[in-house]
Amino acid sequence: MDLDPMQLPPAIRAGLYSQMELPKTVPLACPQQHYIDQISAGGLLCPMDGVAFTFSRELTDFVLRSHELFSSASDMPLGNVRPLIPLNIDPPQHSKYRKILDPLFAPKAMDRIEDDVRARANKFIDEFIDRGEVNFSEEFAEKFPSAVFLGLMGLPWDQLETLMGLRDGILHPERFDPQVTVDPMARFTVMNETGQRIYAYFNEQLDAREAIPTDDILNHFITAQVDGERMSRNEILDLCYLFLIAGLDTVSDSLTCMFAYLATHPEHRAQIVDDPAIIPSAVEELLRWESPVPYGVPRVATRDVVLPNGATITEGTAVTVSYGGANIDPSEYADWDTVRFDRDANRHIAFGGGVHRCLGSHLARRELRIALGEWHSRIPVYGLKAGHEQLEFPPGLRHVKDLTLAWDS
Ligand code: HEM
């Protein structure tokens, strides 16, 4: 069945445009020059009625900081039947959720799981280190963040595949039906079916914790209170849904981008090996340069808005910010195309900005730093395996499919 995009709500139209049309024009392996071209052309792209993209840092910051002008309470084609919490909730309701959630993902909370995260990273490295090669995307990047998530949620190891399957049904529907790349209805079908399974899965987990309380994040969601009130079952399910799609792939994708970069830039890799203390700033710089989450959630204009560049966005238009563009805008980074691990002023917005800034940034940073640290202490010299030099960056969040690395074992 043909789908007329103009019949869809603007945010869904914008989401489909990013997922299906942009990949046709943006070179996915190296989108940076495309971002710069968009910035040079004024930083605003309006490809169809009701859909706009901002690429410059100034316009993106303006949209992110003006939550009263640009609402995140938009429909998104992600198989969910209710708004995702807290992503699709505007202030003041939004801050109620962040009050509950922020302490659970604060740096101190991450200190407590550091050893567990390190052990999980090493468990995977143990499995392939003697082989001298690995499909890094499949055997490390995809599994490690999902395994950390298991620990946080109090789920046993045998749930790893189930969790990854649920994630894939929403974020990689092409793994279930190749038609989704050309047929939006096929995409919706896979996502909607998976969505139902996600609700059922977490419902079961929550029932178990209501019967026998545990000491994990799911249990905290049940017992947490703000202003004396607990969250309803649906609110908790909507949180869990978002965690599954926001907390796994983002880190996996960042890992594949970072290791692809390091495998092809031996001088940068050597800096990490020679001085591991540089890893935190290397992670920030690679997040800036790669911007694994290239675009934000479409935000819908609540009224006609005049942007700082004088352009008018009409009420109801879905505006999508490009984090990738903002992170290399020459107005912020004079040497935008130089990847520098010793950069001291790095105000990148790879984790977003404004009230919806990433809740999991401390967790993500911890996972990325630990992965880089453990890997380089155990496998300091590596590169792309011969015959696997051509890197494939599929559409979606920026990631490398089947990144295959090799080293002397
Ligand atoms: C390197 C990895 C990650 C990147 C690059 C990333 C990036 C982002 C970005 C750009 C946003 C803002 C979206 C928007 O409003 O346009 C966001 C929001 C969010 N992220 Fe992350 N993220 C990462 C990891 C994680 C992890 C591990 C979690 C798990 C806890 C997580 C949970 C969330 C949540 C819950 C939100 C919504 C926050 C809100 O609406 O208040 N993220 N993330």
Side-chain angles (χ1 to χ4, degrees), residues 86-87 94 98 105 242 246-247 250 254 293 296-297 299 323 350-352 356 358-360 364:
L87 194 62
H94 174 265
R98 290 293 298 239
F105 292 91
L242 177 60
T250 45
S254 305
V293 177
V297 169
R299 284 147 165 88
Y323 295 118
F351 289 115
H356 291 282
C358 180
L359 170 74

mmCIF file with all atom_site columns, all heavy atoms in Angstrom, residues 86-87 94 98 105 242 246-247 250 254 293 296-297 299 323 350-352 356 358-360 364, ligand 1:
data_model
loop_
_atom_site.group_PDB
_atom_site.id
_atom_site.type_symbol
_atom_site.label_atom_id
_atom_site.label_alt_id
_atom_site.label_comp_id
_atom_site.label_asym_id
_atom_site.label_entity_id
_atom_site.label_seq_id
_atom_site.pdbx_PDB_ins_code
_atom_site.Cartn_x
_atom_site.Cartn_y
_atom_site.Cartn_z
_atom_site.occupancy
_atom_site.B_iso_or_equiv
_atom_site.pdbx_formal_charge
_atom_site.auth_seq_id
_atom_site.auth_comp_id
_atom_site.auth_asym_id
_atom_site.auth_atom_id
_atom_site.pdbx_PDB_model_num
ATOM   1   N  N   . PRO A 1 86  ? 11.156 10.046 29.361 1.00 0.00 ? 86  PRO A N   1
ATOM   2   C  CA  . PRO A 1 86  ? 10.684 11.443 29.386 1.00 0.00 ? 86  PRO A CA  1
ATOM   3   C  C   . PRO A 1 86  ? 10.841 12.163 28.041 1.00 0.00 ? 86  PRO A C   1
ATOM   4   O  O   . PRO A 1 86  ? 10.578 13.354 27.949 1.00 0.00 ? 86  PRO A O   1
ATOM   5   C  CB  . PRO A 1 86  ? 11.624 12.079 30.423 1.00 0.00 ? 86  PRO A CB  1
ATOM   6   C  CG  . PRO A 1 86  ? 12.916 11.336 30.268 1.00 0.00 ? 86  PRO A CG  1
ATOM   7   C  CD  . PRO A 1 86  ? 12.560 9.940  29.825 1.00 0.00 ? 86  PRO A CD  1
ATOM   8   N  N   . LEU A 1 87  ? 11.226 11.415 26.989 1.00 0.00 ? 87  LEU A N   1
ATOM   9   C  CA  . LEU A 1 87  ? 11.606 12.048 25.717 1.00 0.00 ? 87  LEU A CA  1
ATOM   10  C  C   . LEU A 1 87  ? 10.468 12.838 25.077 1.00 0.00 ? 87  LEU A C   1
ATOM   11  O  O   . LEU A 1 87  ? 10.705 13.895 24.481 1.00 0.00 ? 87  LEU A O   1
ATOM   12  C  CB  . LEU A 1 87  ? 12.088 10.950 24.758 1.00 0.00 ? 87  LEU A CB  1
ATOM   13  C  CG  . LEU A 1 87  ? 12.826 11.380 23.506 1.00 0.00 ? 87  LEU A CG  1
ATOM   14  C  CD1 . LEU A 1 87  ? 14.108 12.096 23.860 1.00 0.00 ? 87  LEU A CD1 1
ATOM   15  C  CD2 . LEU A 1 87  ? 13.132 10.178 22.636 1.00 0.00 ? 87  LEU A CD2 1
ATOM   16  N  N   . HIS A 1 94  ? 7.852  17.067 32.493 1.00 0.00 ? 94  HIS A N   1
ATOM   17  C  CA  . HIS A 1 94  ? 9.135  16.421 32.205 1.00 0.00 ? 94  HIS A CA  1
ATOM   18  C  C   . HIS A 1 94  ? 10.046 16.407 33.423 1.00 0.00 ? 94  HIS A C   1
ATOM   19  O  O   . HIS A 1 94  ? 10.716 15.413 33.711 1.00 0.00 ? 94  HIS A O   1
ATOM   20  C  CB  . HIS A 1 94  ? 9.796  17.161 31.029 1.00 0.00 ? 94  HIS A CB  1
ATOM   21  C  CG  . HIS A 1 94  ? 11.182 16.698 30.714 1.00 0.00 ? 94  HIS A CG  1
ATOM   22  N  ND1 . HIS A 1 94  ? 12.297 17.318 31.220 1.00 0.00 ? 94  HIS A ND1 1
ATOM   23  C  CD2 . HIS A 1 94  ? 11.635 15.663 29.975 1.00 0.00 ? 94  HIS A CD2 1
ATOM   24  C  CE1 . HIS A 1 94  ? 13.381 16.683 30.786 1.00 0.00 ? 94  HIS A CE1 1
ATOM   25  N  NE2 . HIS A 1 94  ? 13.010 15.680 30.025 1.00 0.00 ? 94  HIS A NE2 1
ATOM   26  N  N   . ARG A 1 98  ? 12.488 13.563 35.482 1.00 0.00 ? 98  ARG A N   1
ATOM   27  C  CA  . ARG A 1 98  ? 13.947 13.684 35.607 1.00 0.00 ? 98  ARG A CA  1
ATOM   28  C  C   . ARG A 1 98  ? 14.361 13.701 37.079 1.00 0.00 ? 98  ARG A C   1
ATOM   29  O  O   . ARG A 1 98  ? 15.452 13.226 37.414 1.00 0.00 ? 98  ARG A O   1
ATOM   30  C  CB  . ARG A 1 98  ? 14.461 14.932 34.861 1.00 0.00 ? 98  ARG A CB  1
ATOM   31  C  CG  . ARG A 1 98  ? 14.379 14.835 33.345 1.00 0.00 ? 98  ARG A CG  1
ATOM   32  C  CD  . ARG A 1 98  ? 15.313 13.791 32.726 1.00 0.00 ? 98  ARG A CD  1
ATOM   33  N  NE  . ARG A 1 98  ? 16.712 14.015 32.922 1.00 0.00 ? 98  ARG A NE  1
ATOM   34  C  CZ  . ARG A 1 98  ? 17.618 14.174 31.949 1.00 0.00 ? 98  ARG A CZ  1
ATOM   35  N  NH1 . ARG A 1 98  ? 17.260 14.132 30.684 1.00 0.00 ? 98  ARG A NH1 1
ATOM   36  N  NH2 . ARG A 1 98  ? 18.889 14.326 32.235 1.00 0.00 ? 98  ARG A NH2 1
ATOM   37  N  N   . PHE A 1 105 ? 21.172 7.733  37.515 1.00 0.00 ? 105 PHE A N   1
ATOM   38  C  CA  . PHE A 1 105 ? 22.204 7.707  36.466 1.00 0.00 ? 105 PHE A CA  1
ATOM   39  C  C   . PHE A 1 105 ? 23.286 8.763  36.702 1.00 0.00 ? 105 PHE A C   1
ATOM   40  O  O   . PHE A 1 105 ? 24.002 9.148  35.782 1.00 0.00 ? 105 PHE A O   1
ATOM   41  C  CB  . PHE A 1 105 ? 21.545 7.905  35.088 1.00 0.00 ? 105 PHE A CB  1
ATOM   42  C  CG  . PHE A 1 105 ? 20.702 6.727  34.710 1.00 0.00 ? 105 PHE A CG  1
ATOM   43  C  CD1 . PHE A 1 105 ? 19.366 6.679  35.035 1.00 0.00 ? 105 PHE A CD1 1
ATOM   44  C  CD2 . PHE A 1 105 ? 21.280 5.633  34.077 1.00 0.00 ? 105 PHE A CD2 1
ATOM   45  C  CE1 . PHE A 1 105 ? 18.602 5.571  34.719 1.00 0.00 ? 105 PHE A CE1 1
ATOM   46  C  CE2 . PHE A 1 105 ? 20.526 4.523  33.764 1.00 0.00 ? 105 PHE A CE2 1
ATOM   47  C  CZ  . PHE A 1 105 ? 19.185 4.487  34.085 1.00 0.00 ? 105 PHE A CZ  1
ATOM   48  N  N   . LEU A 1 242 ? 11.658 3.370  26.421 1.00 0.00 ? 242 LEU A N   1
ATOM   49  C  CA  . LEU A 1 242 ? 12.663 4.334  25.957 1.00 0.00 ? 242 LEU A CA  1
ATOM   50  C  C   . LEU A 1 242 ? 14.072 3.861  26.299 1.00 0.00 ? 242 LEU A C   1
ATOM   51  O  O   . LEU A 1 242 ? 14.992 3.983  25.488 1.00 0.00 ? 242 LEU A O   1
ATOM   52  C  CB  . LEU A 1 242 ? 12.407 5.718  26.563 1.00 0.00 ? 242 LEU A CB  1
ATOM   53  C  CG  . LEU A 1 242 ? 13.457 6.769  26.189 1.00 0.00 ? 242 LEU A CG  1
ATOM   54  C  CD1 . LEU A 1 242 ? 13.516 6.978  24.674 1.00 0.00 ? 242 LEU A CD1 1
ATOM   55  C  CD2 . LEU A 1 242 ? 13.197 8.090  26.879 1.00 0.00 ? 242 LEU A CD2 1
ATOM   56  N  N   . ALA A 1 246 ? 17.006 3.752  23.744 1.00 0.00 ? 246 ALA A N   1
ATOM   57  C  CA  . ALA A 1 246 ? 17.951 4.883  23.850 1.00 0.00 ? 246 ALA A CA  1
ATOM   58  C  C   . ALA A 1 246 ? 19.284 4.458  24.439 1.00 0.00 ? 246 ALA A C   1
ATOM   59  O  O   . ALA A 1 246 ? 20.300 5.108  24.214 1.00 0.00 ? 246 ALA A O   1
ATOM   60  C  CB  . ALA A 1 246 ? 17.355 5.992  24.710 1.00 0.00 ? 246 ALA A CB  1
ATOM   61  N  N   . GLY A 1 247 ? 19.295 3.352  25.193 1.00 0.00 ? 247 GLY A N   1
ATOM   62  C  CA  . GLY A 1 247 ? 20.491 3.058  25.983 1.00 0.00 ? 247 GLY A CA  1
ATOM   63  C  C   . GLY A 1 247 ? 21.391 1.964  25.443 1.00 0.00 ? 247 GLY A C   1
ATOM   64  O  O   . GLY A 1 247 ? 22.494 1.784  25.961 1.00 0.00 ? 247 GLY A O   1
ATOM   65  N  N   . THR A 1 250 ? 22.823 3.247  21.030 1.00 0.00 ? 250 THR A N   1
ATOM   66  C  CA  . THR A 1 250 ? 23.620 4.477  21.003 1.00 0.00 ? 250 THR A CA  1
ATOM   67  C  C   . THR A 1 250 ? 25.073 4.183  21.376 1.00 0.00 ? 250 THR A C   1
ATOM   68  O  O   . THR A 1 250 ? 26.002 4.657  20.725 1.00 0.00 ? 250 THR A O   1
ATOM   69  C  CB  . THR A 1 250 ? 23.036 5.500  21.991 1.00 0.00 ? 250 THR A CB  1
ATOM   70  O  OG1 . THR A 1 250 ? 22.737 4.821  23.214 1.00 0.00 ? 250 THR A OG1 1
ATOM   71  C  CG2 . THR A 1 250 ? 21.795 6.154  21.457 1.00 0.00 ? 250 THR A CG2 1
ATOM   72  N  N   . SER A 1 254 ? 28.310 4.091  18.872 1.00 0.00 ? 254 SER A N   1
ATOM   73  C  CA  . SER A 1 254 ? 29.478 4.934  19.178 1.00 0.00 ? 254 SER A CA  1
ATOM   74  C  C   . SER A 1 254 ? 30.740 4.082  19.171 1.00 0.00 ? 254 SER A C   1
ATOM   75  O  O   . SER A 1 254 ? 31.784 4.503  18.656 1.00 0.00 ? 254 SER A O   1
ATOM   76  C  CB  . SER A 1 254 ? 29.332 5.585  20.558 1.00 0.00 ? 254 SER A CB  1
ATOM   77  O  OG  . SER A 1 254 ? 28.125 6.299  20.636 1.00 0.00 ? 254 SER A OG  1
ATOM   78  N  N   . VAL A 1 293 ? 24.627 9.904  17.250 1.00 0.00 ? 293 VAL A N   1
ATOM   79  C  CA  . VAL A 1 293 ? 23.204 10.249 17.092 1.00 0.00 ? 293 VAL A CA  1
ATOM   80  C  C   . VAL A 1 293 ? 23.195 11.515 16.232 1.00 0.00 ? 293 VAL A C   1
ATOM   81  O  O   . VAL A 1 293 ? 23.380 12.619 16.728 1.00 0.00 ? 293 VAL A O   1
ATOM   82  C  CB  . VAL A 1 293 ? 22.534 10.521 18.464 1.00 0.00 ? 293 VAL A CB  1
ATOM   83  C  CG1 . VAL A 1 293 ? 21.076 10.944 18.284 1.00 0.00 ? 293 VAL A CG1 1
ATOM   84  C  CG2 . VAL A 1 293 ? 22.605 9.276  19.340 1.00 0.00 ? 293 VAL A CG2 1
ATOM   85  N  N   . GLY A 1 296 ? 18.236 14.820 16.079 1.00 0.00 ? 296 GLY A N   1
ATOM   86  C  CA  . GLY A 1 296 ? 17.433 14.756 17.293 1.00 0.00 ? 296 GLY A CA  1
ATOM   87  C  C   . GLY A 1 296 ? 16.020 14.274 17.017 1.00 0.00 ? 296 GLY A C   1
ATOM   88  O  O   . GLY A 1 296 ? 15.652 13.961 15.884 1.00 0.00 ? 296 GLY A O   1
ATOM   89  N  N   . VAL A 1 297 ? 15.257 14.243 18.085 1.00 0.00 ? 297 VAL A N   1
ATOM   90  C  CA  . VAL A 1 297 ? 13.840 13.912 17.990 1.00 0.00 ? 297 VAL A CA  1
ATOM   91  C  C   . VAL A 1 297 ? 13.129 15.106 17.353 1.00 0.00 ? 297 VAL A C   1
ATOM   92  O  O   . VAL A 1 297 ? 13.397 16.241 17.737 1.00 0.00 ? 297 VAL A O   1
ATOM   93  C  CB  . VAL A 1 297 ? 13.304 13.706 19.428 1.00 0.00 ? 297 VAL A CB  1
ATOM   94  C  CG1 . VAL A 1 297 ? 11.806 13.613 19.458 1.00 0.00 ? 297 VAL A CG1 1
ATOM   95  C  CG2 . VAL A 1 297 ? 13.966 12.491 20.033 1.00 0.00 ? 297 VAL A CG2 1
ATOM   96  N  N   . ARG A 1 299 ? 10.906 18.112 16.831 1.00 0.00 ? 299 ARG A N   1
ATOM   97  C  CA  . ARG A 1 299 ? 10.176 18.970 17.772 1.00 0.00 ? 299 ARG A CA  1
ATOM   98  C  C   . ARG A 1 299 ? 9.176  19.797 16.969 1.00 0.00 ? 299 ARG A C   1
ATOM   99  O  O   . ARG A 1 299 ? 9.543  20.339 15.918 1.00 0.00 ? 299 ARG A O   1
ATOM   100 C  CB  . ARG A 1 299 ? 11.155 19.896 18.505 1.00 0.00 ? 299 ARG A CB  1
ATOM   101 C  CG  . ARG A 1 299 ? 11.952 19.148 19.596 1.00 0.00 ? 299 ARG A CG  1
ATOM   102 C  CD  . ARG A 1 299 ? 13.333 19.710 19.752 1.00 0.00 ? 299 ARG A CD  1
ATOM   103 N  NE  . ARG A 1 299 ? 13.973 19.276 20.991 1.00 0.00 ? 299 ARG A NE  1
ATOM   104 C  CZ  . ARG A 1 299 ? 14.688 18.158 21.127 1.00 0.00 ? 299 ARG A CZ  1
ATOM   105 N  NH1 . ARG A 1 299 ? 14.864 17.336 20.105 1.00 0.00 ? 299 ARG A NH1 1
ATOM   106 N  NH2 . ARG A 1 299 ? 15.247 17.850 22.291 1.00 0.00 ? 299 ARG A NH2 1
ATOM   107 N  N   . TYR A 1 323 ? 22.661 17.099 15.287 1.00 0.00 ? 323 TYR A N   1
ATOM   108 C  CA  . TYR A 1 323 ? 23.766 17.183 16.254 1.00 0.00 ? 323 TYR A CA  1
ATOM   109 C  C   . TYR A 1 323 ? 25.094 17.102 15.514 1.00 0.00 ? 323 TYR A C   1
ATOM   110 O  O   . TYR A 1 323 ? 26.070 17.728 15.893 1.00 0.00 ? 323 TYR A O   1
ATOM   111 C  CB  . TYR A 1 323 ? 23.652 16.052 17.283 1.00 0.00 ? 323 TYR A CB  1
ATOM   112 C  CG  . TYR A 1 323 ? 22.418 16.181 18.153 1.00 0.00 ? 323 TYR A CG  1
ATOM   113 C  CD1 . TYR A 1 323 ? 21.428 15.208 18.149 1.00 0.00 ? 323 TYR A CD1 1
ATOM   114 C  CD2 . TYR A 1 323 ? 22.241 17.312 18.947 1.00 0.00 ? 323 TYR A CD2 1
ATOM   115 C  CE1 . TYR A 1 323 ? 20.290 15.342 18.936 1.00 0.00 ? 323 TYR A CE1 1
ATOM   116 C  CE2 . TYR A 1 323 ? 21.103 17.456 19.733 1.00 0.00 ? 323 TYR A CE2 1
ATOM   117 C  CZ  . TYR A 1 323 ? 20.133 16.467 19.718 1.00 0.00 ? 323 TYR A CZ  1
ATOM   118 O  OH  . TYR A 1 323 ? 19.005 16.619 20.488 1.00 0.00 ? 323 TYR A OH  1
ATOM   119 N  N   . ALA A 1 350 ? 26.825 16.089 21.443 1.00 0.00 ? 350 ALA A N   1
ATOM   120 C  CA  . ALA A 1 350 ? 26.500 14.729 20.998 1.00 0.00 ? 350 ALA A CA  1
ATOM   121 C  C   . ALA A 1 350 ? 25.445 14.092 21.897 1.00 0.00 ? 350 ALA A C   1
ATOM   122 O  O   . ALA A 1 350 ? 24.755 13.152 21.485 1.00 0.00 ? 350 ALA A O   1
ATOM   123 C  CB  . ALA A 1 350 ? 27.758 13.866 20.968 1.00 0.00 ? 350 ALA A CB  1
ATOM   124 N  N   . PHE A 1 351 ? 25.317 14.580 23.144 1.00 0.00 ? 351 PHE A N   1
ATOM   125 C  CA  . PHE A 1 351 ? 24.283 14.069 24.042 1.00 0.00 ? 351 PHE A CA  1
ATOM   126 C  C   . PHE A 1 351 ? 23.053 14.976 24.067 1.00 0.00 ? 351 PHE A C   1
ATOM   127 O  O   . PHE A 1 351 ? 22.229 14.901 24.977 1.00 0.00 ? 351 PHE A O   1
ATOM   128 C  CB  . PHE A 1 351 ? 24.834 13.939 25.471 1.00 0.00 ? 351 PHE A CB  1
ATOM   129 C  CG  . PHE A 1 351 ? 25.834 12.813 25.638 1.00 0.00 ? 351 PHE A CG  1
ATOM   130 C  CD1 . PHE A 1 351 ? 27.158 13.075 25.950 1.00 0.00 ? 351 PHE A CD1 1
ATOM   131 C  CD2 . PHE A 1 351 ? 25.442 11.493 25.480 1.00 0.00 ? 351 PHE A CD2 1
ATOM   132 C  CE1 . PHE A 1 351 ? 28.083 12.045 26.107 1.00 0.00 ? 351 PHE A CE1 1
ATOM   133 C  CE2 . PHE A 1 351 ? 26.355 10.446 25.634 1.00 0.00 ? 351 PHE A CE2 1
ATOM   134 C  CZ  . PHE A 1 351 ? 27.669 10.719 25.943 1.00 0.00 ? 351 PHE A CZ  1
ATOM   135 N  N   . GLY A 1 352 ? 22.925 15.843 23.068 1.00 0.00 ? 352 GLY A N   1
ATOM   136 C  CA  . GLY A 1 352 ? 21.780 16.732 23.014 1.00 0.00 ? 352 GLY A CA  1
ATOM   137 C  C   . GLY A 1 352 ? 21.980 17.961 23.880 1.00 0.00 ? 352 GLY A C   1
ATOM   138 O  O   . GLY A 1 352 ? 23.094 18.252 24.335 1.00 0.00 ? 352 GLY A O   1
ATOM   139 N  N   . HIS A 1 356 ? 16.008 18.064 27.486 1.00 0.00 ? 356 HIS A N   1
ATOM   140 C  CA  . HIS A 1 356 ? 16.037 16.645 27.115 1.00 0.00 ? 356 HIS A CA  1
ATOM   141 C  C   . HIS A 1 356 ? 17.456 16.104 26.935 1.00 0.00 ? 356 HIS A C   1
ATOM   142 O  O   . HIS A 1 356 ? 17.646 15.031 26.350 1.00 0.00 ? 356 HIS A O   1
ATOM   143 C  CB  . HIS A 1 356 ? 15.229 16.409 25.841 1.00 0.00 ? 356 HIS A CB  1
ATOM   144 C  CG  . HIS A 1 356 ? 13.762 16.586 26.053 1.00 0.00 ? 356 HIS A CG  1
ATOM   145 N  ND1 . HIS A 1 356 ? 12.976 15.633 26.644 1.00 0.00 ? 356 HIS A ND1 1
ATOM   146 C  CD2 . HIS A 1 356 ? 12.945 17.644 25.794 1.00 0.00 ? 356 HIS A CD2 1
ATOM   147 C  CE1 . HIS A 1 356 ? 11.726 16.070 26.717 1.00 0.00 ? 356 HIS A CE1 1
ATOM   148 N  NE2 . HIS A 1 356 ? 11.687 17.294 26.213 1.00 0.00 ? 356 HIS A NE2 1
ATOM   149 N  N   . CYS A 1 358 ? 20.696 14.104 27.224 1.00 0.00 ? 358 CYS A N   1
ATOM   150 C  CA  . CYS A 1 358 ? 20.721 12.655 27.496 1.00 0.00 ? 358 CYS A CA  1
ATOM   151 C  C   . CYS A 1 358 ? 20.794 12.321 28.987 1.00 0.00 ? 358 CYS A C   1
ATOM   152 O  O   . CYS A 1 358 ? 21.708 12.745 29.692 1.00 0.00 ? 358 CYS A O   1
ATOM   153 C  CB  . CYS A 1 358 ? 21.920 12.050 26.780 1.00 0.00 ? 358 CYS A CB  1
ATOM   154 S  SG  . CYS A 1 358 ? 22.063 10.280 27.046 1.00 0.00 ? 358 CYS A SG  1
ATOM   155 N  N   . LEU A 1 359 ? 19.854 11.516 29.413 1.00 0.00 ? 359 LEU A N   1
ATOM   156 C  CA  . LEU A 1 359 ? 19.842 11.051 30.805 1.00 0.00 ? 359 LEU A CA  1
ATOM   157 C  C   . LEU A 1 359 ? 20.989 10.079 31.063 1.00 0.00 ? 359 LEU A C   1
ATOM   158 O  O   . LEU A 1 359 ? 21.510 9.987  32.167 1.00 0.00 ? 359 LEU A O   1
ATOM   159 C  CB  . LEU A 1 359 ? 18.505 10.344 31.067 1.00 0.00 ? 359 LEU A CB  1
ATOM   160 C  CG  . LEU A 1 359 ? 18.380 9.590  32.364 1.00 0.00 ? 359 LEU A CG  1
ATOM   161 C  CD1 . LEU A 1 359 ? 18.234 10.581 33.521 1.00 0.00 ? 359 LEU A CD1 1
ATOM   162 C  CD2 . LEU A 1 359 ? 17.189 8.651  32.333 1.00 0.00 ? 359 LEU A CD2 1
ATOM   163 N  N   . GLY A 1 360 ? 21.388 9.350  30.020 1.00 0.00 ? 360 GLY A N   1
ATOM   164 C  CA  . GLY A 1 360 ? 22.373 8.280  30.206 1.00 0.00 ? 360 GLY A CA  1
ATOM   165 C  C   . GLY A 1 360 ? 23.798 8.686  29.866 1.00 0.00 ? 360 GLY A C   1
ATOM   166 O  O   . GLY A 1 360 ? 24.662 7.823  29.700 1.00 0.00 ? 360 GLY A O   1
ATOM   167 N  N   . ALA A 1 364 ? 26.909 6.229  29.522 1.00 0.00 ? 364 ALA A N   1
ATOM   168 C  CA  . ALA A 1 364 ? 27.521 6.041  28.202 1.00 0.00 ? 364 ALA A CA  1
ATOM   169 C  C   . ALA A 1 364 ? 29.019 6.330  28.263 1.00 0.00 ? 364 ALA A C   1
ATOM   170 O  O   . ALA A 1 364 ? 29.847 5.561  27.768 1.00 0.00 ? 364 ALA A O   1
ATOM   171 C  CB  . ALA A 1 364 ? 26.847 6.951  27.184 1.00 0.00 ? 364 ALA A CB  1
HETATM 172 C  C1  . HEM B 2 .   ? 27.062 7.447  23.402 1.00 0.00 ? 1   HEM B C1  1
HETATM 173 C  C2  . HEM B 2 .   ? 25.828 7.085  23.748 1.00 0.00 ? 1   HEM B C2  1
HETATM 174 C  C3  . HEM B 2 .   ? 24.647 8.002  23.740 1.00 0.00 ? 1   HEM B C3  1
HETATM 175 C  C4  . HEM B 2 .   ? 24.394 9.077  22.941 1.00 0.00 ? 1   HEM B C4  1
HETATM 176 C  C5  . HEM B 2 .   ? 25.287 9.668  21.852 1.00 0.00 ? 1   HEM B C5  1
HETATM 177 C  C6  . HEM B 2 .   ? 23.101 9.608  23.349 1.00 0.00 ? 1   HEM B C6  1
HETATM 178 C  C7  . HEM B 2 .   ? 22.507 10.727 22.784 1.00 0.00 ? 1   HEM B C7  1
HETATM 179 C  C8  . HEM B 2 .   ? 21.308 11.256 23.205 1.00 0.00 ? 1   HEM B C8  1
HETATM 180 C  C9  . HEM B 2 .   ? 20.711 12.444 22.640 1.00 0.00 ? 1   HEM B C9  1
HETATM 181 C  C10 . HEM B 2 .   ? 21.294 13.245 21.492 1.00 0.00 ? 1   HEM B C10 1
HETATM 182 C  C11 . HEM B 2 .   ? 19.565 12.681 23.323 1.00 0.00 ? 1   HEM B C11 1
HETATM 183 C  C12 . HEM B 2 .   ? 18.596 13.842 23.091 1.00 0.00 ? 1   HEM B C12 1
HETATM 184 C  C13 . HEM B 2 .   ? 17.535 13.474 22.075 1.00 0.00 ? 1   HEM B C13 1
HETATM 185 C  C14 . HEM B 2 .   ? 16.716 14.680 21.659 1.00 0.00 ? 1   HEM B C14 1
HETATM 186 O  O1  . HEM B 2 .   ? 16.006 15.246 22.501 1.00 0.00 ? 1   HEM B O1  1
HETATM 187 O  O2  . HEM B 2 .   ? 16.816 15.094 20.493 1.00 0.00 ? 1   HEM B O2  1
HETATM 188 C  C15 . HEM B 2 .   ? 19.420 11.638 24.310 1.00 0.00 ? 1   HEM B C15 1
HETATM 189 C  C16 . HEM B 2 .   ? 18.359 11.538 25.199 1.00 0.00 ? 1   HEM B C16 1
HETATM 190 C  C17 . HEM B 2 .   ? 18.194 10.470 26.063 1.00 0.00 ? 1   HEM B C17 1
HETATM 191 N  N1  . HEM B 2 .   ? 19.075 9.440  26.293 1.00 0.00 ? 1   HEM B N1  1
HETATM 192 FE FE1 . HEM B 2 .   ? 20.871 9.190  25.418 1.00 0.00 ? 1   HEM B FE1 1
HETATM 193 N  N2  . HEM B 2 .   ? 22.602 8.846  24.356 1.00 0.00 ? 1   HEM B N2  1
HETATM 194 C  C18 . HEM B 2 .   ? 23.510 7.861  24.641 1.00 0.00 ? 1   HEM B C18 1
HETATM 195 C  C19 . HEM B 2 .   ? 23.393 6.878  25.603 1.00 0.00 ? 1   HEM B C19 1
HETATM 196 C  C20 . HEM B 2 .   ? 22.326 6.712  26.449 1.00 0.00 ? 1   HEM B C20 1
HETATM 197 C  C21 . HEM B 2 .   ? 22.223 5.695  27.454 1.00 0.00 ? 1   HEM B C21 1
HETATM 198 C  C22 . HEM B 2 .   ? 23.298 4.653  27.786 1.00 0.00 ? 1   HEM B C22 1
HETATM 199 C  C23 . HEM B 2 .   ? 21.003 5.831  28.040 1.00 0.00 ? 1   HEM B C23 1
HETATM 200 C  C24 . HEM B 2 .   ? 20.453 4.967  29.137 1.00 0.00 ? 1   HEM B C24 1
HETATM 201 C  C25 . HEM B 2 .   ? 20.173 5.382  30.287 1.00 0.00 ? 1   HEM B C25 1
HETATM 202 C  C26 . HEM B 2 .   ? 20.346 6.968  27.411 1.00 0.00 ? 1   HEM B C26 1
HETATM 203 C  C27 . HEM B 2 .   ? 19.103 7.444  27.747 1.00 0.00 ? 1   HEM B C27 1
HETATM 204 C  C28 . HEM B 2 .   ? 18.543 8.608  27.233 1.00 0.00 ? 1   HEM B C28 1
HETATM 205 C  C29 . HEM B 2 .   ? 17.248 9.112  27.652 1.00 0.00 ? 1   HEM B C29 1
HETATM 206 C  C30 . HEM B 2 .   ? 16.305 8.474  28.676 1.00 0.00 ? 1   HEM B C30 1
HETATM 207 C  C31 . HEM B 2 .   ? 17.036 10.289 26.921 1.00 0.00 ? 1   HEM B C31 1
HETATM 208 C  C32 . HEM B 2 .   ? 15.821 11.221 27.011 1.00 0.00 ? 1   HEM B C32 1
HETATM 209 C  C33 . HEM B 2 .   ? 16.103 12.298 28.041 1.00 0.00 ? 1   HEM B C33 1
HETATM 210 C  C34 . HEM B 2 .   ? 14.949 13.270 28.207 1.00 0.00 ? 1   HEM B C34 1
HETATM 211 O  O3  . HEM B 2 .   ? 14.070 13.349 27.342 1.00 0.00 ? 1   HEM B O3  1
HETATM 212 O  O4  . HEM B 2 .   ? 14.936 13.962 29.243 1.00 0.00 ? 1   HEM B O4  1
HETATM 213 N  N3  . HEM B 2 .   ? 21.179 7.470  26.461 1.00 0.00 ? 1   HEM B N3  1
HETATM 214 N  N4  . HEM B 2 .   ? 20.498 10.795 24.229 1.00 0.00 ? 1   HEM B N4  1
#
